[in-house]
Amino acid sequence: MDKFIVEGGHRLNGRITVSGAKNASLALMPTCLLAPGVFHLDNTPNNRDVWTFSRLLGSLGVHAELNGHTLLLDSTNINSFEAPYEHVKKMRASIYVLGPLVARFGQARVSLPGGCNFGPRPVDLHLKGLEKLGAQISIDGGYINASCPRLQGAPFHFDISSVGASVNVMMAAVLAKGHTTLTNVAIEPEVTALARMLVSMGANIEGIGTTTLEIDGVDELRPVRHDTIPDRIEAATFLIAAAMTRGDVTLDHVNPYHLTAVIQKLEESGAELDVAGDTIRITMNDAPNAVDITTAPYPGYPTDSQAQWAAYMLLAKGASRVRDTIYPTRFGYVPELQRLGADIETGDMYCVVKGGAHLSGATVMSSDLRASASLVLAGMVAEGSTEILRVYHLDRGYESLEHKLNAVGARIRRERTEEF
Ligand code: EPZ
C-alpha cells in the first residue's frame, strides 16, 4: 500500500503534458478481440487500470505489452471466453469484453461487476442491448453467460445515456449480421474515439459523434494502430489544481473541445484561460468566485471532475452547490475533506461547499479514483502536511500524478506503508 504526504502552500507554475485518456484506453483495448492480429494503441497511459485490463486480456489469450506509451495487443490466439471475478472485481470496465467475445466467438462468460464506492453500477443496458442483437443472456453464480451463433442487427434505444453500455453494444453491433440503429448513444469523447477506431478496423458506422449510430455489420475486421485521445479528466484535475494554488500552468497535449464545460466554469470562478491548439494555459491570482456545478452526460460538466470542483470551492468567496445527477451518492470525499477543516453539507444528489475554508493537514483516506484526486488538491492548499492513504485508487487513473505535479512546484512524497 502506498500513501502520499502532501505539503501544502506551494503554487503551481510550469507546463504539464497530459497523458492518454484512461477511459478511452479501456474502450479501445477490447477491440483486439474483434479481429486476430497485432494492434498498437499509441499514447496509452501507464496506469493501474490499463495493467488490470491487460491482465484480463492476457487471461483470454491476448499477448499484451506496454512499450513506453504504445500498448501492443496480439490477439492471434484467443483461447478463453471467460472474464473471471478476480479481474472484474478490480475494474468494472472488464465487462467491455462481453460484447466483442459474443460478437466474434458466439460466447462469453463474464463476472458481474460489483458496485463501487459511489453506489450501484448496474449493467442492465449492456445486457438489454446485447439481447436485442440476439444474444441469449443468463446469470448464474455472479456470472453473465452470453451466447449467440451470429448476432443480428436490430434497433436499440438506450433508456439512459451510458458510456459503458454504448461501448459494449457498439462493439457487438459492428460484427452483427445486418443493420443496427442505436439511439441515445453516449457521446463522451471516449465513445466517439471507439467508433472512429472501429471504422479504421473496417466497421461501417454512420453518425459518429451524435446520439444516433447507424451500423452495417461486417463479416470481419482487421487489426490497426490507433492513437489514444488525451485524458480530459486528468486535464481538468490539473487545471483545478493550478487555480487552487493561484498558479500559472500550461497543459500540453490536451483537446480543449473535450473540456468546454470545465473551462467555462473555471472562467466563471475568475481564472484566466488561454486556449491555443492542443494547449491550455490557466492563471489565477485571487480566491475563486463561488460557482455551482451540476454534472451531466457529455458535453455537460463531467461527474469525474465534481469532487475536484468541490475541493476548489472550499477556497471560494461564498458558498457553492455541487450536484451530481449521474451518481447521486458520489460524495465519499466529503467526510475526508471535513477532516481537513472543510465546512460541507451533503443533501440528496448534492453538497453545499462553504468557501473561505482554512484547511489544516491531517490523515485522510482515498475512497475512489476521483475522490482521491480531490484530497490531493485539498492537501496542496492545506496548512502543514496531509497524509493520503490508499493511493492505489489514484494510480488506477493517473500516471505518475505526484511526478507531474511536483515538476510544477507541488511537494508530494509517495511512501510505502503497512497502513490499510
Ligand atoms: C463511465 O462509467 C466511466 N468509466 C466513469 O468514469 C464515468 O464516471 C461514467 O462513465 C460517467 O461518465 C469508464 O469509462 C471506464 P455510465 P460507466 O454507464 O460506463 C447508469 C472514472 O473515474 N447505468 O455512463 O459505468 C449508471 O448507474 C470512472 O474514470 C444504468 O442504469 O457509466 C449511471 O447512473 C468512474 N444501467 C449512468 O447510467 C447500465 O447498464 C451513467 O453510467 C449502465 C449505466
Side-chain angles (χ1 to χ4, degrees):
M1 285 287 171
D2 289 355
K3 64 181 177 182
F4 277 168
I5 313 294
V6 184
E7 190 180 297
H10 300 283
R11 184 175 174 274
L12 298 188
N13 188 341
R15 301 186 81 103
I16 304 176
T17 298
V18 170
S19 296
K22 164 185 89 82
N23 290 345
S25 295
L26 299 180
L28 302 182
M29 289 171 73
T31 62
C32 74
L33 300 171
L34 291 168
V38 179
F39 291 70
H40 293 88
L41 298 181
D42 294 323
N43 198 33
T44 296
N46 185 6
N47 62 38
R48 185 181 286 270
D49 272 7
V50 167
W51 309 337
T52 300
F53 211 125
S54 297
R55 280 195 297 275
L56 166 61
L57 291 172
S59 72
L60 303 176
V62 174
H63 171 70
E65 195 179 306
L66 186 58
N67 303 310
H69 289 108
T70 292
L71 179 62
L72 178 151
L73 297 170
D74 183 348
S75 60
T76 309
N77 302 306
I78 302 297
N79 52 31
S80 168
F81 313 121
E82 175 162 339
Y85 181 63
E86 65 174 295
H87 296 298
V88 180
K89 71 182 177 185
K90 292 178 193 146
M91 186 185 63
R92 296 178 29 76
S94 305
I95 196 171
Y96 288 173
V97 302
L98 185 63
L101 284 174
V102 177
R104 172 123 178 273
F105 301 101
Q107 59 177 307
R109 180 169 163 78
V110 177
S111 167
L112 269 171
C116 69
N117 287 308
F118 47 86
R121 304 281 295 277
V123 293
D124 56 308
L125 294 174
H126 298 241
L127 305 185
K128 281 179 188 166
L130 294 177
E131 281 178 327
K132 193 69 186 294
L133 298 179
Q136 300 295 315
I137 303 268
S138 67
I139 292 177
D140 69 66
Y143 276 78
I144 303 162
N145 303 297
S147 63
C148 180
R150 177 74 191 272
L151 294 175
Q152 300 294 319
F156 181 70
H157 177 78
F158 294 92
D159 293 339
I160 300 176
S161 175
S162 162
V163 171
S166 300
V167 163
N168 231 332
V169 177
M170 190 197 314
M171 283 193 285
V174 294
L175 280 183
K177 187 171 177 55
H179 187 81
T180 295
T181 299
L182 300 178
T183 51
N184 197 28
V185 179
I187 55 171
E188 269 70 2
E190 298 76 31
V191 178
T192 301
L194 170 65
R196 291 195 173 119
M197 177 174 174
L198 290 170
V199 167
S200 73
M201 291 168 61
N204 290 325
I205 305 175
E206 295 294 332
I208 293 177
T210 76
T211 58
T212 298
L213 295 182
E214 300 289 356
I215 300 172
D216 284 316
V218 295
D219 294 333
E220 61 182 25
L221 295 166
R222 57 182 176 272
V224 294
R225 175 182 287 274
H226 196 81
D227 194 27
T228 307
I229 59 172
D231 194 315
R232 61 195 171 100
I233 304 303
E234 185 192 29
T237 305
F238 291 143
L239 291 172
I240 294 170
M244 287 179 73
T245 62
R246 300 191 191 183
D248 178 352
V249 170
T250 298
L251 299 188
D252 292 311
H253 199 195
V254 296
N255 184 331
Y257 294 104
H258 294 166
L259 283 154
T260 51
V262 174
I263 289 170
Q264 182 163 305
K265 287 296 180 182
L266 283 165
E267 288 172 336
E268 287 174 21
S269 77
E272 187 177 326
L273 288 93
D274 297 311
V275 174
D278 68 348
T279 70
I280 302 175
R281 179 177 179 183
I282 184 167
T283 50
M284 184 69 167
N285 302 305
D286 193 0
N289 305 320
V291 175
D292 298 345
I293 63 163
T294 297
T295 69
Y298 190 86
Y301 190 96
T303 172
D304 292 348
S305 299
Q306 63 98 333
Q308 298 91 315
W309 190 264
Y312 180 36
M313 289 295 102
L314 291 170
L315 308 178
K317 303 168 201 160
S320 56
R321 179 185 289 241
V322 174
R323 287 182 72 237
D324 199 326
T325 63
I326 296 177
Y327 296 120
T329 58
R330 194 176 191 174
F331 298 98
Y333 58 86
V334 168
E336 300 307 309
L337 291 179
Q338 288 168 337
R339 285 180 50 75
L340 301 178
D343 182 353
I344 304 178
E345 287 174 21
T346 50
D348 179 20
M349 298 175 71
Y350 72 88
C351 70
V352 175
V353 181
K354 193 167 173 198
H358 175 74
L359 301 177
S360 307
T363 298
V364 290
M365 181 83 75
S366 306
S367 56
D368 71 71
L369 167 54
R370 309 304 176 179
S372 323
S374 74
L375 301 182
V376 173
L377 300 186
M380 287 167 63
V381 296
E383 188 178 346
S385 290
T386 295
E387 190 174 75
I388 302 173
L389 303 179
R390 299 186 185 176
V391 293
Y392 65 83
H393 287 293
L394 273 169
D395 294 335
R396 289 192 49 185
Y398 292 95
E399 177 181 343
S400 311
L401 180 68
E402 74 272 27
H403 297 137
K404 290 187 176 182
L405 288 172
N406 287 341
V408 291
R411 294 274 179 83
I412 303 171
R413 195 172 72 251
R414 180 188 288 258
E415 285 185 4
R416 194 152 297 277
T417 174
E418 295 313 312
E419 282 180 83
F420 191 67

